[in-house]
Amino acid sequence: MSDRQYPDQSDSKPHQQDVPGADAPQATNPSPNRADSTAPADDAWERVTNRMRQDIGEAAWRNWIKPLRVSRLEDGTLILEASSMLARERVTSQYADRLRVISAAEYGTVRKVEISLASHQAPRMSQQKRAASNTGAQAGGPLGAGLDPRYTFANFVVGKPNELAFAVARRTAESATVAFNPLFLYGGVGLGKTHLMHAIAWHIREQDPSRHVVYLSAEKFMYRFVQALRFRDTMSFKEQFRSVDVLMIDDVQFISGKDSTQEEFFHTFNALVEDGRQVIVSADKSPTDLEGLEERLRSRLGWGMVADIHPADYELRLGILQAKAERARIAVPDKVLEFLAHRISSNVRELEGALTRIAAHASLVGREITIDSAAELLTDLLRASSRQVSIDEIQKRVAAHYDVRVAEMFSARRARNIARPRQVAMYLAKTLTSFSYPEIGRQFGGRDHTTVMHAVRTIESLVSSDKRIAEDVQLLRSLIAS
Ligand code: ADP
Ligand code: MG
């Protein structure tokens, strides 16, 4: 049992980092003798570096983190010494965020991390100061703040529902040139779009800090644009964006409606793409389904690579829970994790919330968590996604509604008047239960999972184009879910 409950979670505002800029070394303040300064913090530092090693991989860790020395801990600021100017700059621009979050968790008292130069290196510093701060600004960039240090590829659990999105995200991050342009990631709430975008940004920063990566929510993008309009400074607004190598805009569905912002987005977007810069966009729907977006923008967004993230199925939910429990070092019996994976919806954020709560509880009462105690602790969460709807029940309701025999749900007949109700039932099974595509296929007369996926997509699109189907689905949904 561990008393560590999602330490990173305590920090949900990564952009409020207190990491100093590249020109904050303490040249006039040589660090004290190493032997006495590290003494109180050794254990915690050991844990910090171990976690960093897991997060960033062996090679990067050996190059940049392992050589760091704890200088001192002062008023909540952990001061680390780097052995060279280059190392200091690298660590400051790429790892300081993560070091701060992890140190905060492991030391308990750390709020800030500063990287200074080991004292024997200090005299060289002033000459190189300028160069260092330039690079720092490029990598960090005023537009690029706000990346969550937990959102890395290493922390992303891959399963069937997200493997395509993961693969293209990785490819985009790894290629030195523009891979897919634009890369359009879409999927429902809490399925990992933002996580993947941050992961791309982290990866690029790590590989090539000179590439100027900018990550923005669509809301921020609009806010900046409106501000620029107010101050009649749209020129420099454009310049800011046009100088980036990789532009990421998260949740573009929020750009819909505002005509002038759409217009600006469209032009910025075109300028970047034509200039061979990588553009990455996320949304909650596919480009064609983005309502409120101008037609030309919608079609433009779909030109590159479009990858969707499907709701997490049981296997993926379980995988995520296992990974998160392990990472946070919370001891939760497998049975309990399986129970949670079964009973909590596909929204990964809710899974995380459940785990955090269980961990907090376990550390307070100091007793091993059981299925019963988990169920009791999470009544509200489970209620939302529970009322375990069975596929059986869905099939009966749908058959009755369309006046076909329940047996047709399993039959091989493909006549429209039978196939359509069957597709509706599959769609409802997917959206109202937590069964995976293969599981649903099995319950519909042993059909292949691709048949189910096709059915779900067909009904999804019919719901927006065919009023009758939309009404059927709505009615059935309310009958079944009530
Ligand atoms: P979205 O942007 O699609 O709404 P997020 O990227 O914010 O979703 O993900 C919600 C939460 O779930 C985040 O804490 C994220 O780290 C986590 N998450 C989502 N998918 C995964 C995954 N496959 N592996 C690990 N964590 C995930
Ligand atoms: Mg998001």
Side-chain angles (χ1 to χ4, degrees):
M1 183 93 24
S2 158
D3 59 354
R4 234 172 263 114
Q5 357 139 349
Y6 262 126
D8 315 11
Q9 209 87 14
S10 62
D11 188 305
S12 55
K13 297 188 207 77
H15 41 282
Q16 292 191 346
Q17 45 178 285
D18 261 329
V19 174
D23 50 358
Q26 273 111 50
T28 53
N29 196 3
S31 58
N33 173 331
R34 189 156 296 157
D36 54 56
S37 59
T38 52
D42 259 345
D43 276 4
W45 178 243
E46 177 94 17
R47 289 196 298 272
V48 172
T49 70
N50 280 338
R51 286 182 59 184
M52 286 297 288
R53 191 205 305 229
Q54 285 172 13
D55 277 13
I56 68 176
E58 185 67 27
W61 178 81
R62 200 172 335 101
N63 282 338
W64 308 113
I65 306 301
K66 188 164 173 254
L68 293 174
R69 294 284 169 266
V70 175
S71 164
R72 60 195 182 280
L73 180 56
E74 211 174 70
D75 290 340
T77 302
L78 177 66
I79 297 160
L80 303 171
E81 281 182 356
S83 54
S84 71
M85 195 64 208
L86 175 69
R88 188 178 138 278
E89 176 197 319
R90 260 300 184 104
V91 174
T92 303
S93 66
Q94 286 175 51
Y95 303 113
D97 281 355
R98 253 183 265 197
L99 277 170
R100 179 181 56 82
V101 172
I102 295 176
S103 304
E106 296 296 352
Y107 282 82
T109 51
V110 169
R111 287 187 312 277
K112 243 168 119 166
V113 168
E114 282 182 16
I115 320 294
S116 70
L117 206 56
S119 46
H120 63 279
Q121 293 284 339
R124 290 174 49 202
M125 196 161 44
S126 55
Q127 299 141 22
Q128 296 182 20
K129 199 164 167 177
R130 186 156 303 276
S133 64
N134 284 344
T135 326
Q138 268 233 318
L143 290 168
L147 291 180
D148 192 314
R150 292 166 300 163
Y151 293 178
T152 58
F153 284 126
N155 288 343
F156 193 82
V157 181
V158 187
K160 267 262 149 49
N162 60 21
E163 65 185 0
L164 174 69
F166 176 81
V168 296
R170 256 220 102 97
R171 170 75 67 81
T172 307
E174 277 166 1
S175 45
T177 53
V178 170
F180 318 105
N181 220 2
L183 167 58
F184 189 102
L185 294 171
Y186 78 94
V189 177
L191 299 184
K193 302 181 294 295
T194 299
H195 188 135
L196 280 179
M197 290 180 110
H198 287 205
I200 296 174
W202 283 120
H203 192 94
I204 294 176
R205 277 192 189 185
E206 205 149 296
Q207 274 200 333
D208 184 0
S210 70
R211 281 179 91 191
H212 187 187
V213 181
V214 168
Y215 166 86
L216 275 177
S217 65
E219 281 158 318
K220 274 229 178 78
F221 177 87
M222 285 188 344
Y223 173 78
R224 281 174 196 273
F225 178 63
V226 171
Q227 288 247 309
L229 279 184
R230 181 173 309 149
F231 296 110
R232 298 174 199 289
D233 194 16
T234 50
M235 272 306 281
S236 76
F237 173 82
K238 286 185 183 132
E239 283 317 305
Q240 286 179 61
F241 287 101
R242 288 177 187 181
S243 68
V244 309
D245 295 307
V246 182
L247 175 65
M248 305 192 187
I249 308 250
D250 204 353
D251 287 322
V252 282
Q253 70 271 14
F254 293 126
I255 286 185
S256 18
K258 323 260 171 159
D259 285 350
S260 54
T261 336
Q262 277 198 39
E263 183 82 14
E264 192 48 45
F265 178 62
F266 185 71
H267 289 306
T268 306
F269 180 93
N270 277 335
L272 287 168
V273 171
E274 273 158 29
D275 213 26
R277 318 302 175 99
Q278 177 74 57
V279 179
I280 304 171
V281 166
S282 85
D284 63 350
K285 297 195 191 64
S286 75
T288 41
D289 291 338
L290 276 176
E291 289 154 20
L293 224 56
E294 276 181 53
E295 171 56 30
R296 61 171 183 171
L297 184 50
R298 265 189 289 164
S299 95
R300 191 70 183 77
L301 286 172
W303 280 12
M305 168 59 92
V306 177
D308 56 346
I309 309 184
H310 295 278
D313 56 16
Y314 172 76
E315 288 80 15
L316 180 56
R317 291 198 295 271
L318 184 60
I320 289 173
L321 284 168
Q322 282 164 341
K324 303 232 172 212
E326 192 172 317
R327 218 175 96 70
R329 283 172 257 164
I330 317 168
V332 186
D334 286 347
K335 280 271 163 281
V336 175
L337 293 181
E338 284 163 18
F339 168 76
L340 295 176
H342 261 302
R343 294 287 301 273
I344 297 180
S345 75
S346 54
N347 183 328
V348 180
R349 205 170 281 133
E350 272 174 23
L351 286 176
E352 290 182 338
L355 204 54
T356 311
R357 220 191 284 174
I358 286 187
H361 179 80
S363 81
L364 285 177
V365 300
R367 231 181 296 121
E368 177 156 287
I369 200 87
T370 63
I371 292 187
D372 285 344
S373 57
E376 199 181 308
L377 207 58
L378 304 170
T379 2
D380 53 334
L381 266 183
L382 298 176
R383 199 184 306 129
S385 55
S386 79
R387 244 283 297 139
Q388 287 284 39
V389 176
S390 69
I391 291 188
D392 197 47
E393 182 182 352
I394 292 173
Q395 291 169 332
K396 282 186 190 136
R397 290 275 188 185
V398 173
H401 178 78
Y402 287 103
D403 203 17
V404 299
R405 290 181 307 131
V406 178
E408 302 291 14
M409 294 290 149
F410 323 105
S411 78
R413 290 180 57 195
R414 302 176 68 165
R416 171 67 70 88
N417 66 331
I418 285 167
R420 189 67 88 220
R422 195 187 293 130
Q423 287 181 320
V424 168
M426 288 181 189
Y427 167 81
L428 290 170
K430 187 65 208 165
T431 52
L432 294 179
T433 75
S434 47
F435 291 105
S436 64
Y437 288 111
E439 287 164 338
I440 295 173
R442 278 197 287 281
Q443 298 205 43
F444 279 82
R447 287 183 155 76
D448 190 42
H449 71 280
T450 53
T451 309
V452 184
M453 285 167 75
H454 175 72
V456 171
R457 291 206 186 146
T458 306
I459 301 302
E460 241 163 29
S461 82
L462 283 175
V463 161
S464 50
S465 63
D466 182 328
K467 225 168 140 218
R468 283 261 317 265
I469 295 271
E471 282 167 8
D472 287 349
V473 166
Q474 203 188 357
L475 176 68
L476 282 163
R477 197 192 279 280
S478 66
L479 283 173
I480 295 165
S482 64

Short mmCIF file of all heavy atoms in Angstrom, two decimals, residues 34 145 153 158 296 356 412 421 425 427 441 454 463 481:
data_model
loop_
_atom_site.label_atom_id
_atom_site.label_comp_id
_atom_site.label_asym_id
_atom_site.label_seq_id
_atom_site.Cartn_x
_atom_site.Cartn_y
_atom_site.Cartn_z
N ARG A 34 29.15 20.34 -1.97
CA ARG A 34 28.16 19.33 -2.33
C ARG A 34 27.81 18.38 -1.18
O ARG A 34 26.66 18.06 -0.95
CB ARG A 34 28.70 18.52 -3.50
CG ARG A 34 27.73 17.59 -4.11
CD ARG A 34 28.12 17.31 -5.51
NE ARG A 34 28.06 18.53 -6.31
CZ ARG A 34 28.75 18.70 -7.43
NH1 ARG A 34 29.57 17.79 -7.84
NH2 ARG A 34 28.62 19.82 -8.10
N ALA A 145 3.56 27.78 -24.00
CA ALA A 145 3.46 27.38 -22.60
C ALA A 145 2.27 26.46 -22.40
O ALA A 145 1.42 26.33 -23.27
CB ALA A 145 3.32 28.62 -21.74
N PHE A 153 4.26 10.40 -24.88
CA PHE A 153 3.98 9.13 -25.56
C PHE A 153 4.17 7.97 -24.60
O PHE A 153 3.41 7.01 -24.60
CB PHE A 153 4.89 8.95 -26.77
CG PHE A 153 4.49 9.80 -27.95
CD1 PHE A 153 5.39 10.65 -28.56
CD2 PHE A 153 3.19 9.74 -28.44
CE1 PHE A 153 5.02 11.42 -29.65
CE2 PHE A 153 2.80 10.51 -29.53
CZ PHE A 153 3.72 11.36 -30.14
N VAL A 158 -1.74 2.33 -25.42
CA VAL A 158 -2.28 2.11 -26.76
C VAL A 158 -3.15 0.86 -26.81
O VAL A 158 -2.79 -0.17 -26.25
CB VAL A 158 -1.13 1.96 -27.78
CG1 VAL A 158 -1.68 1.91 -29.20
CG2 VAL A 158 -0.15 3.11 -27.65
N ARG A 296 -15.38 25.72 -46.75
CA ARG A 296 -14.02 25.62 -47.30
C ARG A 296 -13.01 25.25 -46.21
O ARG A 296 -12.04 24.56 -46.45
CB ARG A 296 -13.61 26.92 -47.99
CG ARG A 296 -13.59 28.10 -47.05
CD ARG A 296 -12.97 29.30 -47.72
NE ARG A 296 -12.91 30.39 -46.75
CZ ARG A 296 -12.27 31.52 -46.94
NH1 ARG A 296 -11.63 31.72 -48.06
NH2 ARG A 296 -12.26 32.44 -46.01
N THR A 356 -7.94 8.00 -8.53
CA THR A 356 -7.43 8.97 -7.56
C THR A 356 -8.22 8.88 -6.27
O THR A 356 -7.66 8.91 -5.18
CB THR A 356 -7.59 10.41 -8.12
OG1 THR A 356 -7.06 10.43 -9.44
CG2 THR A 356 -6.87 11.41 -7.25
N ALA A 412 -28.57 -13.80 -40.61
CA ALA A 412 -27.65 -13.32 -41.64
C ALA A 412 -28.39 -12.51 -42.70
O ALA A 412 -27.79 -12.04 -43.65
CB ALA A 412 -26.94 -14.51 -42.27
N PRO A 421 -32.62 -2.03 -38.64
CA PRO A 421 -32.84 -2.17 -37.19
C PRO A 421 -31.65 -2.83 -36.49
O PRO A 421 -31.26 -2.43 -35.39
CB PRO A 421 -34.08 -3.06 -37.10
CG PRO A 421 -34.81 -2.81 -38.38
CD PRO A 421 -33.76 -2.56 -39.41
N ALA A 425 -29.49 -1.31 -33.44
CA ALA A 425 -29.24 -2.03 -32.18
C ALA A 425 -27.75 -2.08 -31.88
O ALA A 425 -27.32 -1.90 -30.74
CB ALA A 425 -29.82 -3.43 -32.26
N TYR A 427 -25.53 0.04 -32.87
CA TYR A 427 -25.15 1.40 -32.52
C TYR A 427 -25.49 1.68 -31.05
O TYR A 427 -24.69 2.21 -30.29
CB TYR A 427 -25.87 2.39 -33.45
CG TYR A 427 -25.80 3.82 -33.01
CD1 TYR A 427 -24.67 4.59 -33.28
CD2 TYR A 427 -26.86 4.41 -32.32
CE1 TYR A 427 -24.60 5.92 -32.87
CE2 TYR A 427 -26.79 5.74 -31.91
CZ TYR A 427 -25.66 6.48 -32.19
OH TYR A 427 -25.59 7.78 -31.78
N GLY A 441 -20.09 -7.70 -31.67
CA GLY A 441 -20.20 -8.58 -32.83
C GLY A 441 -20.60 -9.99 -32.44
O GLY A 441 -21.48 -10.61 -33.05
N HIS A 454 -18.86 -0.56 -38.81
CA HIS A 454 -19.55 0.01 -39.96
C HIS A 454 -20.97 0.42 -39.58
O HIS A 454 -21.43 1.51 -39.93
CB HIS A 454 -19.59 -1.02 -41.09
CG HIS A 454 -20.39 -0.57 -42.27
ND1 HIS A 454 -19.96 0.42 -43.12
CD2 HIS A 454 -21.61 -0.94 -42.71
CE1 HIS A 454 -20.88 0.63 -44.04
NE2 HIS A 454 -21.90 -0.19 -43.83
N VAL A 463 -28.05 9.63 -38.26
CA VAL A 463 -28.68 10.42 -37.20
C VAL A 463 -28.63 11.90 -37.54
O VAL A 463 -29.54 12.66 -37.21
CB VAL A 463 -28.00 10.12 -35.84
CG1 VAL A 463 -28.27 11.21 -34.83
CG2 VAL A 463 -28.48 8.77 -35.31
N ALA A 481 -32.46 3.50 -21.66
CA ALA A 481 -31.63 4.03 -20.59
C ALA A 481 -32.41 4.42 -19.35
O ALA A 481 -31.84 4.72 -18.32
CB ALA A 481 -30.84 5.25 -21.11
#
